[in-house]
Amino acid sequence: MSSARVGAARLTTRIKVTRTGDLKDGPRRARPARNMILQGDCVSLMKGLDAESVDLVFADPPYNLQLASKLTRPDQSLVDAVDDDWDKFADFAAYDAFTREWLSAARQVMKPQATIFVIGSYHNIFRVGAIMQDLGFWILNDIVWRKNNPMPNFRGRRFTNAHETMIWAARDAGAKNYTFNYEGLKAGNEDCQMRSDWLLPICTGAERLKDATGRKTHPTQKPETLLARVILSASKAGDLVLDPFFGSGTTGAVAKRLRRDYIGLERDGTYANAAVARIAAVEPLPEEAVATAPSKRSEPRIAFASLVEAGLIAPGAVLRDAKKRHAAVVRADGALSLSGFVGSIHKTGALAQGLPACNGWTFWHYEDKGRLAPIDELRTQIRQSLRAAAE
């Protein structure tokens, strides 16, 4: 039996959950294991989770679309719009109170270095963002999910609604060590920094879950490509991902495939059961395929003097830039001498170019068998030797 099915089984046999999430006729607060789907109200269920236990939160809350009537196409056929009761609120005040309540509960279960993604549309995302700031979250980015196949505006009275917005935030302003897999994202993006506008298709085709009658199981199912980028951006293998509005289980399916753990909270039994079956069919990728890309920031700091002490660069050697316009002499103490100025590899590189700063590791080159090579190659050799010694 899959871990997801085990979770569902525990849910139905150990506790009874009302629509509001109150626990009855069973343990007051059973701590859930990882890789579980819990059915009930997300706020009540989050209060039953361990404080500061979650590494990443992805939340796709109701958007409060405020649809006053049925939507029709020019041929008068009905648009399959979101008109479910869970998306209906009495007024903005009611929606704001709901938003504040679930965000507060989510913040309590986030680790100090955890981050949260909240997705929405123009109907709700600005209200959500203001409440997040009021509660102490620190916004890191707003990310535009630009849809390359959006639904058209049938009445021709507005721009085509072609994007949704995600807010990415740390738990508070003091968070410094949150996960951001910069190197892996950049390597997969043709060695360019990953931008905050993501062009991805909406969920269609075989990925879209459907019931026995062929209707969509969930009206707002998000594409797995979107969740994959979120999870790969801000978590590591083995991290715990929480989704308070689990729906059809996209977060859990992607988390399992990428070797993350998950907890899904969903009050609708039909959605929860569909998610259980969906996740059970997922096979995790090989560990090597999801290992975090090495980060230069996490590597041990190596001083240029260490290269001199190790004999990789001899005192008196001449370093040049790649175009051989500048030359500096290596001193015995690990500093460089450039036209009478003595300083670090960085300061001498900046002086040579007339710039305020410089990365001396990539600017200065040494001669190796007739070719110029950046001194950063020698720093890599030392780091490799340190790793080998540690093993």
Side-chain angles (χ1 to χ4, degrees):
M1 180 179 288
S2 74
S3 58
R5 290 187 184 278
V6 169
R10 287 177 181 168
L11 172 68
T12 55
T13 58
R14 291 172 59 189
I15 59 177
K16 294 182 180 180
V17 186
T18 68
R19 180 172 175 79
T20 59
D22 297 325
L23 309 185
K24 295 184 177 180
D25 302 325
R28 279 297 302 165
R29 194 166 286 187
R31 302 285 187 192
R34 293 180 171 219
N35 302 316
M36 297 276 288
I37 302 172
L38 303 179
Q39 187 180 341
D41 173 72
C42 67
V43 174
S44 298
L45 292 173
M46 279 189 279
K47 289 178 179 178
L49 302 179
D50 288 322
E52 299 187 352
S53 61
V54 170
D55 298 288
L56 175 65
V57 178
F58 175 81
D60 183 12
Y63 286 10
N64 191 26
L65 297 178
Q66 309 148 63
L67 296 179
S69 59
K70 298 291 185 180
L71 297 181
T72 59
R73 299 180 178 86
D75 63 2
Q76 300 307 305
S77 60
L78 286 177
V79 176
D80 190 11
V82 180
D83 56 3
D84 303 75
D85 288 341
W86 50 257
D87 194 59
K88 296 176 181 177
F89 295 82
D91 49 33
F92 286 132
Y95 185 80
D96 291 351
F98 159 77
T99 300
R100 185 175 296 273
E101 191 176 19
W102 78 257
L103 279 170
S104 297
R107 194 164 182 264
Q108 291 297 313
V109 301
M110 292 171 63
K111 293 179 180 179
Q113 69 273 22
T115 59
I116 180 172
F117 286 80
V118 185
I119 190 168
S121 67
Y122 68 88
H123 303 87
N124 71 322
I125 199 64
F126 304 109
R127 308 187 77 86
V128 170
I131 292 171
M132 291 180 75
Q133 290 179 314
D134 289 344
L135 292 174
F137 288 98
W138 187 255
I139 295 178
L140 302 169
N141 277 112
D142 65 324
I143 298 165
V144 174
W145 168 29
R146 186 170 149 233
K147 306 172 184 178
N148 57 9
N149 51 347
M151 181 183 294
N153 182 266
F154 294 109
R155 296 182 179 178
R157 301 290 293 173
R158 301 184 184 185
F159 296 107
T160 298
N161 213 10
H163 78 278
E164 293 182 28
T165 300
M166 284 190 295
I167 294 173
W168 181 41
R171 198 184 75 168
D172 53 59
K176 301 297 182 184
N177 297 318
Y178 57 85
T179 297
F180 179 54
N181 296 318
Y182 170 82
E183 284 79 8
L185 294 171
K186 183 177 179 181
N189 194 41
E190 303 294 328
D191 288 324
C192 295
Q193 289 187 345
M194 181 63 69
R195 292 161 49 113
S196 62
D197 53 336
W198 299 356
L199 179 62
L200 299 169
I202 62 175
C203 183
T204 58
E207 184 183 333
R208 170 68 75 173
L209 299 190
K210 296 182 179 179
D211 61 21
T213 66
R215 288 180 56 84
K216 293 183 289 188
T217 300
H218 195 288
T220 64
Q221 181 179 335
K222 295 299 183 287
E224 292 191 5
T225 52
L226 180 70
L227 267 298
R229 188 169 294 183
V230 166
I231 291 174
L232 289 171
S233 298
S235 70
K236 303 181 291 292
D239 278 356
L240 179 59
V241 183
L242 170 69
D243 187 336
F245 307 96
F246 204 57
S248 58
T250 302
T251 300
V254 175
K256 183 179 177 182
R257 183 174 295 113
L258 297 178
R259 290 185 174 271
R260 275 71 167 170
D261 293 330
Y262 68 89
I263 294 178
L265 312 179
E266 177 53 53
R267 72 182 188 181
D268 187 291
T270 300
Y271 297 159
N273 289 333
V276 167
R278 177 184 186 182
I279 296 170
V282 172
E283 290 294 331
L285 291 171
E287 292 184 9
E288 184 179 0
V290 298
T292 303
S295 169
K296 291 185 177 179
R297 295 179 181 178
S298 65
E299 293 179 327
R301 183 179 181 277
I302 304 296
F304 180 70
S306 299
L307 275 62
V308 178
E309 294 165 353
L312 297 176
I313 288 283
V318 176
L319 301 183
R320 305 182 187 277
D321 65 294
K323 295 183 179 181
K324 297 184 178 182
R325 294 174 298 183
H326 309 285
V329 177
V330 177
R331 290 165 45 93
D333 57 8
L336 299 187
S337 176
L338 175 67
S339 302
F341 173 82
V342 176
S344 68
I345 58 174
H346 309 299
K347 288 186 176 180
T348 53
L351 178 66
Q353 301 173 87
L355 298 175
C358 169
N359 182 351
W361 290 107
T362 56
F363 178 75
W364 292 115
H365 292 61
Y366 72 104
E367 188 169 338
D368 178 35
K369 298 178 181 179
R371 74 178 182 98
L372 286 180
I375 59 175
D376 197 31
E377 290 187 1
L378 301 177
R379 180 171 64 164
T380 300
Q381 290 182 29
I382 291 185
R383 284 175 169 161
Q384 290 174 341
S385 65
L386 290 174
R387 282 194 289 269
E391 295 173 356

